[in-house]
Amino acid sequence: MKKVLSVLMVCFMIGSFLVGCGEKEKKNPSTENNSGEASTSNKDDKDPVKLIVWGGVPGESGPQDLVDAWNASHPEIQVEYVRFVNDDTGNTKLDTAILSGEQIDLFFTYGVDLMKKRVDSGMLENLDTDEITAFIKEHIAGEGDGMVRIDGGLYAIPTVREPYGIMLNKGMLDEAGITIPDNWTVEEFMDIAKQLTTEKDGKKVYGASIVIQGGLPLDISQAVLGGDHFYKASGDESNFDDETFKANAKLKELMDAGAAMPYEEVFSRKLDTYAHPAYLGSEIAMTHFSAWMLRYVKDLENYPHDFVTTFATFPTTEKGVANNYQAFLNNFICMNSKSAHKEEAMAFMKYWLTEGSKYMYKAGKMSVWKEADPEEATKAILGDNAEQLFDVEAYKKVMFNPDSQYIIDTVTVAYPQLLEVYKEESEMYFLNNTTLEEYLSNTKKRADQEIKKALK
Amino acid sequence: MGQTKKKKKINWTAWLFIGPNYIGFIVFILIPVVFSLIVSFTDFNIFKGLSGMRFVGFDNIKEMFSDVWFTSAVKNNLLFILGTIPVLIMVSMVVATILNNKVYLKNTMRAIVFLPYISSVVAISVVWMKLYNPSKGQINQLLMWFGMDNPPSWLASTTWALPALMLVGIWMGLGYNIVVYMAGLQTIDRALYESAQIDGANGVQMFRHITVPMLSSTTFFLMITNIIGSFQTFGTVNIMTDGGPGKASTVIAQYIYVAGFRYHKMGYAAAMAWVLLIFIFCITLFQWKLQKRYENNF
């Protein structure tokens, strides 16, 4: 009897274990019917289709309004917005979620290096269809000019125009009696940074922060050369021996002179991607900016400050050298190639790119939609008390610079690795572990090796 | 004849009992391990699935040795082991001996030293990042208060990032090592100490000539588990420095993660994981051999 009981119990245990496995199996959306039947767009259907969209902008800064507006007018397709933090960790989280088969129909990619990785991994649906081409021609400014293509395919559509530049503490400028010259050079930028370096209430104020993108120097080179500036024209060799990269490297002299925030502090306070907390805390007088950063300037609750922010274009290498590449098409909307609701996702994608884009103004996102009104966008981006916070004229000058051209990357061989090499070597240089010559030659040598490896 | 029948029955029941665990082991451990071995000879990219897999032979292994990120990771890992394990072993043995005797607030002290071992790595990392901040961190404030003009910038310095992480590693591992040593101390015959005392030995001599040798098998056990643990260091590095500045604090487990999940090179990551396994296996074998020789000398 005992034996029978024990055998029964064991059978029960095995049974329950297997049932557990089965349950998991059922919940995995990747095993769902993928034939399109599951994704009916039949309005009589009681169950609306549910789409999940992942983006880097906090829901309350605009995306939630956009989604709510869509959901109200499209009862048959209900969208849920999930925010991920757009840094290495956040992007890894997104990749892993897609990988594990979690339902994500649309998501945002915020850089060509990431887009390249995701295309190589087959995560992105190729959007090179007649339907999309016609849509872009009809609705998107530039009609497709300047859109990044990876290996000849269009895998993502940029949703915003993103000019960038320098934002400055106007109070400090006025106090020092400085006006920013038009078409300023790196030399002038450095002089002004030194003049703006002071002590305030026993606290050191640095003239500038010169670190961007997780550890690179301000990229003067890109503003001069435009897209593909990491590569020689042939595309099979890196370009780090170009004169313009010396201008990037020159900025480190500001750190040495104590006029730019030292790298140690930038690194340990994680100001290497976004330096706005230091800028709004009056610890630095100028830093690079993009329109989306202005949402922090408007956020007086978390970043209380009483100075006006003014704007300037990026400096150039030397007088007379054009540096018009100061805008990106960015915030690429992508479709998961494994989405079970591609048709519905496409409809929502089009909405985000057109009608829905106005909800994103307050997050600092200038739409690529042909019918978007720049005045309305500027109003929403600068907020209600624009005059108290911003030098509105200077903002318009930078944002609507008629000479501005888009940075378009077309060569993407080993791009993620090149970025990593440039970042690491820059860190070593900032921390005085390498000399200027070593820095430039190491970067060039290692980048060339990575390109060779990828082309093998 | 009846004997064998009976035996078979007993085996059947036994199989049923270990069945659930066995199935779990096969599904969640054995199959993934074998799969990762297969994958390490391919250019498997998880997003492309099995259909996009190409067999590349030993290319992944070859690439490793010309990959500066990997070689730095190995170097840093070895430094990490050399810097943490001797300190861990020595300090935990001494502290365990002290806690094993009659000390004031013994139980509270035990709880305090064990706490870091069971705390969340993320919480620990965030707190230590605050402590290590070059200008506002408590560590440097203290050093400056003692008159040091230029204290190290810890996590933001290519020289000090790894030692800073070692210190956190030591602090986290102490609790476990101490508890294991205390268990080891319980097995030492008190009579040895009593006779040593009669012979006039003092505390230090007793520690040196009784405690240390009698704990040798515990020490070997801890050496092996600590070395394996050090090779698996990931959380603190990932959160506190992400392998930086430059490549100063990249360690193998963290680079495996970066290669697999950030560059999507799963085949390469699996190959590195297997190289790491062979590494650890060789070190463990070597330690076993040493231990055998050591014990035979007794």
Side-chain angles (χ1 to χ4, degrees), chain B residues 49-106:
Chain B
L50 294 173
S51 50
M53 203 154 88
R54 268 186 328 127
F55 184 76
V56 295
F58 286 96
D59 279 8
N60 285 331
I61 312 264
K62 272 186 229 148
E63 186 182 336
M64 246 173 259
F65 295 100
S66 63
D67 179 350
V68 282
W69 283 299
F70 180 73
T71 45
S72 324
V74 173
K75 193 187 82 199
N76 287 338
N77 235 140
L78 293 175
L79 283 172
F80 195 93
I81 287 168
L82 289 175
T84 53
I85 291 178
V87 179
L88 253 178
I89 297 282
M90 281 190 274
V91 174
S92 52
M93 197 188 282
V94 172
V95 174
T97 311
I98 293 169
L99 286 180
N100 204 35
N101 296 330
K102 292 186 172 55
V103 248
Y104 190 58
L105 286 179
K106 189 155 83 174

Side-chain angles (χ1 to χ4, degrees), chain A residues 3 6-7 10-11 13-14 17-18 21 24 88-89 92 95-96 98-99 117-123 263-265 267-270 283 338 416-417 420-421 423-425 427-428 431 433 446 450 453, chain B residues 9-10 12-13 16-17 19-20 23-24 27-28 45-48 63 66-69 129 132-136 153 155-159 239-242 244-247 257 261-266:
Chain A
K3 259 188 203 162
S6 64
V7 169
V10 170
C11 287
M13 279 161 72
I14 293 176
F17 177 82
L18 292 175
C21 281
K24 270 203 191 96
D88 266 345
T89 315
T92 305
D95 289 345
T96 319
I98 290 174
L99 167 79
K117 272 189 277 196
R118 288 173 177 163
V119 170
D120 286 348
S121 301
M123 290 158 76
Y263 191 71
E264 288 87 344
E265 188 158 351
F267 183 88
S268 39
R269 288 175 60 192
K270 297 212 182 279
E283 294 173 73
K338 295 190 176 63
Q417 283 80 356
E420 187 61 32
V421 165
K423 193 184 107 179
E424 279 179 13
E425 293 299 335
E427 279 180 339
M428 302 295 276
L431 293 168
N433 292 330
R446 285 183 62 197
E450 292 297 333
K453 223 192 272 181
Chain B
K9 239 187 199 164
I10 290 168
W12 178 229
T13 315
L16 276 176
F17 267 104
I23 292 169
V27 172
F28 295 112
N45 177 326
I46 222 155
F47 297 96
K48 286 183 182 166
E63 186 182 336
S66 63
D67 179 350
V68 282
W69 283 299
M129 271 165 77
Y132 277 138
N133 183 303
S135 56
K136 297 183 177 62
S153 47
L155 300 175
S157 141
T158 39
T159 320
I239 296 163
M240 290 162 82
T241 64
D242 200 18
K247 299 183 293 288
Y257 161 81
F261 288 97
R262 223 173 269 170
Y263 293 143
H264 301 173
K265 290 159 74 176
M266 278 290 164

Side-chain angles (χ1 to χ4, degrees), chain A residues 228-276:
Chain A
D228 299 337
H229 72 307
F230 282 176
Y231 301 89
K232 293 255 185 270
S234 58
D236 58 1
E237 191 192 334
S238 77
N239 196 29
F240 291 106
D241 51 352
D242 191 88
E243 280 301 306
T244 52
F245 281 98
K246 284 192 184 138
N248 291 4
K250 195 175 169 55
L251 292 164
K252 179 187 167 271
E253 290 172 22
L254 284 178
M255 280 185 184
D256 298 339
M261 191 178 261
Y263 191 71
E264 288 87 344
E265 188 158 351
V266 171
F267 183 88
S268 39
R269 288 175 60 192
K270 297 212 182 279
L271 298 171
D272 43 15
T273 306
Y274 313 131
H276 58 270

Side-chain angles (χ1 to χ4, degrees), chain B:
Chain B
M1 197 63 202
Q3 271 288 5
T4 48
K5 255 194 186 169
K6 200 173 178 190
K7 237 187 196 169
K8 265 192 184 157
K9 239 187 199 164
I10 290 168
N11 281 349
W12 178 229
T13 315
W15 272 110
L16 276 176
F17 267 104
I18 57 172
N21 199 341
Y22 227 72
I23 292 169
F25 166 79
I26 289 167
V27 172
F28 295 112
I29 296 175
L30 189 67
I31 293 174
V33 165
V34 173
F35 181 66
S36 77
L37 180 61
I38 296 165
V39 158
S40 63
F41 294 105
T42 66
D43 66 347
F44 180 54
N45 177 326
I46 222 155
F47 297 96
K48 286 183 182 166
L50 294 173
S51 50
M53 203 154 88
R54 268 186 328 127
F55 184 76
V56 295
F58 286 96
D59 279 8
N60 285 331
I61 312 264
K62 272 186 229 148
E63 186 182 336
M64 246 173 259
F65 295 100
S66 63
D67 179 350
V68 282
W69 283 299
F70 180 73
T71 45
S72 324
V74 173
K75 193 187 82 199
N76 287 338
N77 235 140
L78 293 175
L79 283 172
F80 195 93
I81 287 168
L82 289 175
T84 53
I85 291 178
V87 179
L88 253 178
I89 297 282
M90 281 190 274
V91 174
S92 52
M93 197 188 282
V94 172
V95 174
T97 311
I98 293 169
L99 286 180
N100 204 35
N101 296 330
K102 292 186 172 55
V103 248
Y104 190 58
L105 286 179
K106 189 155 83 174
N107 288 342
T108 318
M109 295 290 281
R110 268 190 216 177
I112 288 172
V113 292
F114 197 65
L115 261 184
Y117 183 71
I118 52 169
S119 302
S120 143
V121 173
V122 179
I124 287 173
S125 303
V126 171
V127 170
W128 276 93
M129 271 165 77
K130 290 251 181 296
L131 293 175
Y132 277 138
N133 183 303
S135 56
K136 297 183 177 62
Q138 286 76 351
I139 294 176
N140 277 2
Q141 299 247 324
L142 197 70
L143 290 175
M144 286 192 249
W145 188 73
F146 277 119
M148 202 166 167
D149 282 341
N150 266 328
S153 47
W154 303 113
L155 300 175
S157 141
T158 39
T159 320
W160 288 99
L162 200 60
L165 288 163
M166 286 178 193
L167 186 62
V168 178
I170 291 169
W171 180 80
M172 279 167 72
L174 268 182
Y176 173 75
N177 282 268
I178 288 169
V179 168
V180 175
Y181 266 133
M182 282 172 82
L185 286 167
Q186 301 294 328
T187 62
I188 302 177
D189 193 346
R190 302 295 316 166
L192 290 173
Y193 291 105
E194 282 158 16
S195 57
Q197 249 170 340
I198 292 165
D199 291 341
N202 63 21
V204 176
Q205 284 169 321
M206 284 197 283
F207 178 76
R208 167 79 191 76
H209 295 285
I210 300 170
T211 311
V212 174
M214 294 302 283
L215 283 177
S216 66
S217 57
T218 312
T219 305
F220 274 116
F221 166 76
L222 284 176
M223 288 274 272
I224 292 176
T225 50
N226 282 329
I227 285 180
I228 293 173
S230 296
F231 268 120
Q232 295 172 330
T233 301
F234 169 74
T236 46
V237 177
N238 189 43
I239 296 163
M240 290 162 82
T241 64
D242 200 18
K247 299 183 293 288
S249 61
T250 311
V251 288
I252 304 176
Q254 189 252 352
Y255 184 50
I256 289 174
Y257 161 81
V258 168
F261 288 97
R262 223 173 269 170
Y263 293 143
H264 301 173
K265 290 159 74 176
M266 278 290 164
Y268 187 47
M272 283 195 283
W274 274 89
V275 167
L276 178 61
L277 176 95
I278 293 164
F279 249 36
I280 294 173
F281 190 71
C282 291
I283 289 171
T284 311
L285 270 185
F286 175 70
Q287 280 183 308
W288 270 341
K289 282 223 159 41
L290 262 186
Q291 185 177 6
K292 279 218 174 72
R293 191 179 297 176
Y294 185 82
E295 282 171 349
N296 292 342
N297 289 345
F298 259 80

Side-chain angles (χ1 to χ4, degrees), chain A residues 92-160:
Chain A
T92 305
K93 186 176 157 188
L94 169 62
D95 289 345
T96 319
I98 290 174
L99 167 79
S100 64
E102 193 173 321
Q103 188 197 342
I104 296 173
D105 300 285
L106 294 168
F107 56 92
F108 281 83
T109 299
Y110 297 89
V112 176
D113 58 320
L114 262 174
M115 203 202 303
K116 161 84 175 151
K117 272 189 277 196
R118 288 173 177 163
V119 170
D120 286 348
S121 301
M123 290 158 76
L124 307 188
E125 180 77 8
N126 191 345
L127 303 170
D128 236 346
T129 59
D130 293 344
E131 181 199 358
I132 292 283
T133 312
F135 169 83
I136 288 172
K137 219 171 168 54
E138 190 180 346
H139 295 286
I140 306 295
E143 299 185 358
D145 276 357
M147 285 197 187
V148 177
R149 301 182 86 82
I150 307 259
D151 308 329
L154 181 71
Y155 289 91
I157 301 174
T159 57
V160 300

